[in-house]
Amino acid sequence: MGKRGSRSQSQLLGSLTKKQKKHLRDFGEEHPFYDRVSRKEAKPQTCQLSESSDTSSSESEAESEPEQVSGYHRLLATLKNVSKEEEEEEEEEEDSVMDETEMNLEDGDSDISEEEDMAAESTDMQSSVASPADPEGKDGHGPPGTSEESPEEFTDAKHESLFSLETNFLEEESGGDSSPKASQDPFVQHVNTKLKEKEIQAVATNPKTTHQLKWPILGQVVFSSKFQKLETFKPPKDIDLKSVHLQKPLESTWIKTNSQFLSGPQKSSSPFTPLQKELFLIMNSYRDLFYPERTALKNGEEIRHVYCLHVINHVLKANAQVLGNNSRRRSQKLGVGDDDDFRDQGLTRPKVLIVVPFREAALRVVQLFISLLEGDSKKKIIVSNKKRFNGEYGSDPEERPPNLKRPEDYEAVFVGNIDDHFRIGVAILQRSIRLYAPFYSSDILIASPLGLRTIIGGEGEKKRDFDFLSSIELLIIDQADIYLMQNWEHVLHLMNHMNLLPLDSHGVDFSRVRMWSLNNWSKYYRQTLLFGALQDAQINSVFNKYCVNVQGQVAVRSVPMTGSISRVLVQLPHVFQRMQVESLASVIDARFNFFVNKILPQYRDAVMSHTLIYVPSYFDFVRLRNYFKKEELNFAHICEYTQKSGVSRARHFFLQGEKQFLLLTERFHFYKRYTIKGIRNLIFYELPTYPHFYSEVCNMLRATSRGEEAAWTCTVLYSKYDAQRLAAVVGVERAAQMLQSKKNVHLFITGER
């Protein structure tokens, strides 16, 4: 009977289509459309209920009367058994895959296989579906309004326990000296600095005390502090790695990692270049730093190496302190020792935030981290999800057009993957790196301003998270000048959300949190390193307003003696016209009115055709464009949002003289760097953000020189609030004379023979 019954069941099951089987499995019965009416009456069958099954209100009736089981339910049970057997087979296959990957890791393979990546992704997807109450997946890694399936949302959910600071202890082979205990260690001195309530209250009213020194490489260095004590120092001639308190294994790995910048006798004498030495001495003293002479073409990589060394050194020391205290707490009996001895962390785990503009920069930072931890040792460090990271952050050299000719600085900035929307968490535990770590399990966050803006959200948005910024101890904003070309509002939005008290506890052990973090004083212990290519009022404002480190601030204030006007090669008269402005708030309107009433009437004549108007601000560009349309002037316009076909038409009409004016935004020039042909008259509505753009645009006049060089003109508008930009164009001495002069018009002539 058993064989005949199972055979009939398998025949009945085999006669069903896939849709019928799915409906049967989902709903416990066949769809009414497929019902088969049998004339024979089915015999009742007895089914014993398990003790755990739900009982009805009349238990006595349920016990006395046997329950009838239909053929549909028997088929359903058969389907469930089949699916269970398939799931068991799949689990066995997954176990075998896991065993293979573990063997690969033991053999020293530092990369996780693609199968493991996909398994981790599916695990992360299941966990996110299982807990719909948490919109951000508890890691703050998902931008609002995006699906969990996008590659941006991948987080490594498999290595949580391996990289957890709570469940790991200091390795014995690391030695007892690996946790920073020495009182001379700058890290220990910084985190153990004690502030009083009176000092915090006085910061708001205290005047900033400053002291200026001249360093051999950095030049004019300004030390400042809002706290009462202001300490300054000068760099020693020589330093060795032991004196700067590097954590193992950095003493040995740094020399190899930095060898490309060391050459000749310098290589044997010092592990740093002269610039790196002075920068690292400031970084290692935990003072805030603003360095405005970082250029992608000249010293960008040199600076990136030294701040990555500082980041890894800080994280290794902080984690060693936590792991060392874990070991001490485990060895001590309960109730022995003071709880304050173990206060070694913040309210959330992320300690370092590195803001970079493009994915290529994030790729280079991570590669430096790996190099600094690995060095030349034979034992490779474990880097989880490395293959996935290289795929998402790397670039294909063949994607770049081979015939693209651009200036060298353009090639240096826009190299590799230039996507500007990304964020990634990195966890470091001794000699292992975990990429794509959830934010609240990460030590280091690497992101672009746009990537952070989409997760921080705005006021009133439901899906927003910024708790991961609450305990940032080291903030690095690299290539700050590029954010002026992207969206500076994102940087201001980030700074306004730094080091706020978190809205959720995120599983923190409050007995281990430092007192200054509990007191909401984290911003006074946060070190900010700001690197850019120029002195700009907006960047200076961020440094002065948001950097209140107890150790003080250091800003490099070297002034340009020769301006970019010296690099103009064409014979051209430059007329600088000064506007009279009462206040900073009235500059925008004053410039527009001055241009419309004083400058534009001179160029309305048809003789003054081929006039290019260079506009740095997009808002000014829109205002001028609307005015030109209202006045029905013959003009074309190009901005960063103009389609490629629109750009080609505007350039063609301007070259042929069909359009008298061409409005051009600075951001378009920054991202495209096209040579505009046909310029005879040039108007700088405002001085350029980048000083070398001034000479670049002026030199465009020679692109189509047809003997009308004598009629070329160049007009520049400026006010007393443009002092920094003016000094970068004409030099600091001339700028001072122009701003103090009673005359409002100044003339320069370049290219004289």
Side-chain angles (χ1 to χ4, degrees):
M1 288 295 292
K3 291 182 179 180
R4 190 181 305 166
S6 62
R7 189 182 299 114
S8 63
Q9 284 181 2
S10 62
Q11 290 176 354
L12 187 57
L13 186 63
S15 64
L16 298 178
T17 64
K18 289 184 178 180
K19 288 186 177 180
Q20 289 174 288
K21 291 179 182 179
K22 184 178 185 301
H23 193 279
L24 182 62
R25 187 184 298 117
D26 292 343
F27 298 100
E29 62 180 7
E30 281 191 290
H31 194 280
F33 181 79
Y34 301 109
D35 277 353
R36 288 179 293 275
V37 181
S38 175
R39 294 181 180 179
K40 294 184 179 180
E41 188 175 349
K43 295 183 179 180
Q45 293 189 3
T46 304
C47 178
Q48 297 294 333
L49 291 174
S50 61
E51 295 180 359
S52 61
S53 62
D54 296 335
T55 57
S56 64
S57 58
S58 56
E59 292 182 1
S60 58
E61 293 178 5
E63 291 175 0
S64 59
E65 296 181 10
E67 183 179 352
Q68 295 182 356
V69 180
S70 66
Y72 298 140
H73 286 81
R74 295 203 310 273
L75 281 174
L76 179 63
T78 308
L79 280 173
K80 287 182 177 178
N81 290 335
V82 171
S83 63
K84 285 181 181 178
E85 291 174 2
E86 291 174 353
E87 288 175 0
E88 289 175 359
E89 291 175 1
E90 289 175 1
E91 289 175 359
E92 290 176 0
E93 291 176 0
E94 288 178 1
D95 290 339
S96 63
V97 172
M98 286 297 296
D99 292 340
E100 291 177 5
T101 54
E102 288 176 2
M103 290 295 291
N104 291 337
L105 285 177
E106 291 175 1
D107 291 340
D109 186 8
S110 63
D111 197 7
I112 307 299
S113 63
E114 288 183 358
E115 292 83 3
E116 191 172 344
D117 280 347
M118 294 302 294
E121 186 175 5
S122 62
T123 308
D124 183 67
M125 286 290 297
Q126 291 171 2
S127 63
S128 64
V129 172
S131 55
D134 183 11
E136 299 296 328
K138 286 193 177 182
D139 59 4
H141 204 63
T146 56
S147 64
E148 293 289 333
E149 295 178 356
S150 62
E152 185 73 29
E153 303 311 308
F154 171 74
T155 53
D156 180 10
K158 300 195 68 172
H159 302 87
E160 192 67 30
S161 60
L162 181 65
F163 286 85
S164 172
L165 288 180
E166 289 80 11
T167 57
N168 283 282
F169 303 93
L170 204 61
E171 292 181 357
E172 294 181 2
E173 65 181 27
S174 299
D177 297 333
S178 59
S179 58
K181 298 177 183 178
S183 59
Q184 295 85 7
D185 192 324
F187 168 80
V188 177
Q189 291 178 349
H190 177 61
V191 297
N192 290 341
T193 301
K194 293 184 179 180
L195 287 175
K196 296 178 181 178
E197 187 76 32
K198 294 180 180 178
E199 294 178 287
I200 298 297
Q201 293 173 353
V203 168
T205 57
N206 281 350
K208 182 177 284 189
T209 56
T210 61
H211 185 74
Q212 186 166 316
L213 296 174
K214 187 167 185 178
W215 283 27
I217 304 298
L218 296 181
Q220 296 296 330
V221 176
V222 179
F223 288 80
S224 61
S225 177
K226 276 204 166 187
F227 292 88
Q228 291 181 352
K229 58 177 183 178
L230 175 62
E231 297 179 359
T232 62
F233 67 95
K234 284 192 174 183
K237 290 184 178 180
D238 296 315
I239 59 171
D240 59 346
L241 291 177
K242 291 184 179 180
S243 65
V244 294
H245 300 275
L246 291 182
Q247 191 79 349
K248 293 180 181 179
L250 298 178
E251 286 188 17
S252 58
T253 59
W254 168 248
I255 296 175
K256 183 191 175 186
T257 304
N258 198 46
S259 59
Q260 58 179 304
F261 302 109
L262 305 174
S263 59
Q266 180 186 346
K267 190 168 184 178
S268 58
S269 61
S270 174
F272 298 98
T273 65
L275 174 63
Q276 286 177 335
K277 180 184 75 173
E278 295 186 6
L279 288 176
F280 188 74
L281 285 171
I282 298 172
M283 294 179 193
N284 207 33
S285 67
Y286 281 90
R287 290 172 171 86
D288 295 330
L289 171 64
F290 174 37
Y291 182 71
E293 298 173 20
R294 181 244 191 257
T295 57
L297 195 61
K298 184 180 176 184
N299 55 16
E301 289 305 309
E302 193 178 348
I303 293 171
R304 181 179 284 129
H305 274 65
V306 75
Y307 77 63
C308 284
L309 171 68
H310 182 54
V311 166
I312 293 293
N313 193 36
H314 179 84
V315 170
L316 289 179
K317 287 179 179 179
N319 286 353
Q321 193 176 43
V322 174
L323 299 178
N325 285 338
N326 287 351
S327 302
R328 287 172 57 200
R329 292 186 73 178
R330 180 176 61 174
S331 61
Q332 288 182 357
K333 295 180 181 179
L334 294 175
V336 178
D338 188 2
D339 284 344
D340 286 343
D341 293 342
F342 301 112
R343 294 193 179 275
D344 50 19
Q345 52 196 271
L347 290 164
T348 52
R349 180 170 172 179
K351 308 170 186 64
V352 180
L353 172 62
I354 303 176
V355 182
V356 288
F358 304 119
R359 284 183 182 253
E360 173 68 21
L363 175 70
R364 295 187 182 187
V365 166
V366 171
Q367 288 173 342
L368 277 174
F369 288 166
I370 296 172
S371 178
L372 286 169
L373 289 175
E374 198 170 69
D376 54 355
S377 59
K378 296 179 180 178
K379 187 178 180 182
K380 297 280 186 181
I381 64 169
I382 298 175
V383 183
S384 60
N385 308 303
K386 184 179 179 182
K387 189 177 292 184
R388 183 190 188 97
F389 175 76
N390 288 333
E392 292 184 1
Y393 285 76
S395 63
D396 188 359
E398 297 179 358
E399 293 177 358
R400 194 170 186 84
N403 298 326
L404 195 65
K405 292 183 179 180
R406 293 291 182 269
E408 289 182 342
D409 65 297
Y410 180 91
E411 297 287 352
V413 170
F414 295 99
V415 64
N417 190 334
I418 56 171
D419 178 27
D420 63 350
H421 187 191
F422 62 91
R423 52 183 175 267
I424 185 172
V426 180
I428 294 177
L429 199 67
Q430 293 168 359
R431 293 182 66 83
S432 301
I433 295 180
R434 177 192 186 193
L435 302 177
Y436 296 98
F439 267 27
Y440 291 98
S441 300
S442 302
D443 296 302
I444 304 168
L445 308 178
I446 307 172
S448 65
L450 178 59
L452 290 169
R453 179 65 177 82
T454 52
I455 189 173
I456 293 173
E459 199 69 35
E461 294 183 15
K462 291 183 179 179
K463 292 184 177 181
R464 57 183 313 210
D465 184 16
F466 47 85
D467 287 357
F468 56 88
L469 300 172
S470 62
S471 297
I472 295 294
E473 300 165 2
L474 178 54
L475 169 64
I476 297 175
I477 302 179
D478 196 10
Q479 295 175 272
D481 53 287
I482 294 180
Y483 311 136
L484 295 171
M485 298 292 112
Q486 292 179 343
N487 194 332
W488 189 250
E489 290 295 324
H490 295 338
V491 177
L492 299 179
H493 194 71
L494 166 66
M495 299 306 295
N496 286 326
H497 289 82
M498 290 295 300
N499 298 112
L500 302 179
L501 284 176
L503 303 177
D504 190 13
S505 63
H506 300 283
V508 67
D509 181 1
F510 287 99
S511 66
R512 300 287 295 274
V513 179
R514 296 187 181 98
M515 290 307 299
W516 49 261
S517 191
L518 292 173
N519 290 336
N520 196 20
W521 294 349
S522 295
K523 64 180 180 180
Y524 300 109
Y525 290 83
R526 184 192 76 234
Q527 182 186 25
T528 305
L529 306 178
L530 193 55
F531 301 101
L534 47 89
Q535 295 270 10
D536 187 84
Q538 296 181 83
I539 302 176
N540 288 337
S541 174
V542 165
F543 187 73
N544 295 329
K545 181 179 178 181
Y546 295 101
C547 298
V548 287
N549 189 345
V550 63
Q551 306 295 341
Q553 291 76 42
V554 178
V556 178
R557 301 293 187 193
S558 298
V559 290
M561 299 309 294
T562 58
S564 61
I565 196 172
S566 61
R567 293 191 288 272
V568 177
L569 304 177
V570 295
Q571 188 169 356
L572 182 68
H574 305 258
V575 180
F576 285 78
Q577 301 216 16
R578 186 174 65 191
M579 308 173 296
Q580 297 299 330
V581 183
E582 296 179 358
S583 64
L584 182 61
S586 62
V587 168
I588 296 174
D589 290 332
R591 178 178 284 110
F592 178 76
N593 293 328
F594 185 84
F595 175 80
V596 169
N597 298 324
K598 298 287 182 68
I599 305 298
L600 192 57
Q602 304 172 20
Y603 291 86
R604 281 179 177 265
D605 195 335
V607 178
M608 305 296 286
S609 62
H610 297 271
T611 300
L612 175 72
I613 305 174
Y614 181 92
V615 190
S617 169
Y618 180 74
F619 301 106
D620 289 335
F621 166 80
V622 173
R623 190 174 186 179
L624 286 175
R625 184 189 64 191
N626 294 341
Y627 177 80
F628 276 40
K629 286 182 178 179
K630 181 183 175 183
E631 294 293 315
E632 297 182 350
L633 295 175
N634 183 23
F635 79 104
H637 56 87
I638 300 175
C639 71
E640 55 272 24
Y641 304 112
T642 307
Q643 297 290 335
K644 195 171 183 179
S645 57
V647 173
S648 299
R649 280 197 302 271
R651 294 174 68 189
H652 174 74
F653 291 151
F654 183 71
L655 175 62
Q656 299 300 324
E658 297 179 30
K659 298 292 183 181
Q660 183 178 354
F661 296 97
L662 176 61
L663 294 175
L664 182 76
T665 63
E666 183 174 68
R667 288 175 68 186
F668 175 83
H669 182 68
F670 173 79
Y671 282 107
K672 299 298 182 182
R673 216 65 77 86
Y674 288 172
T675 298
I676 306 297
K677 296 181 180 180
I679 305 173
R680 296 179 189 172
N681 304 292
L682 186 57
I683 301 175
F684 284 93
Y685 186 77
E686 185 183 358
L687 284 161
T689 305
Y690 287 91
H692 65 276
F693 282 2
Y694 183 86
S695 56
E696 273 186 20
V697 176
C698 288
N699 288 329
M700 287 182 188
L701 274 75
R702 62 176 181 172
T704 51
S705 58
R706 298 172 182 172
E708 67 275 356
E709 289 87 346
W712 286 349
T713 66
C714 176
T715 304
V716 185
L717 279 62
Y718 74 99
S719 71
K720 61 182 180 180
Y721 296 105
D722 298 323
Q724 285 184 327
R725 294 188 180 186
L726 185 62
V729 171
V730 302
V732 65
E733 293 181 359
R734 286 176 177 171
Q737 294 173 5
M738 292 167 66
L739 292 171
Q740 294 169 5
S741 173
K742 294 180 180 179
K743 297 180 181 178
N744 292 329
V745 181
H746 295 83
L747 175 65
F748 295 85
I749 298 178
T750 57
E752 289 183 304
R753 295 178 182 175

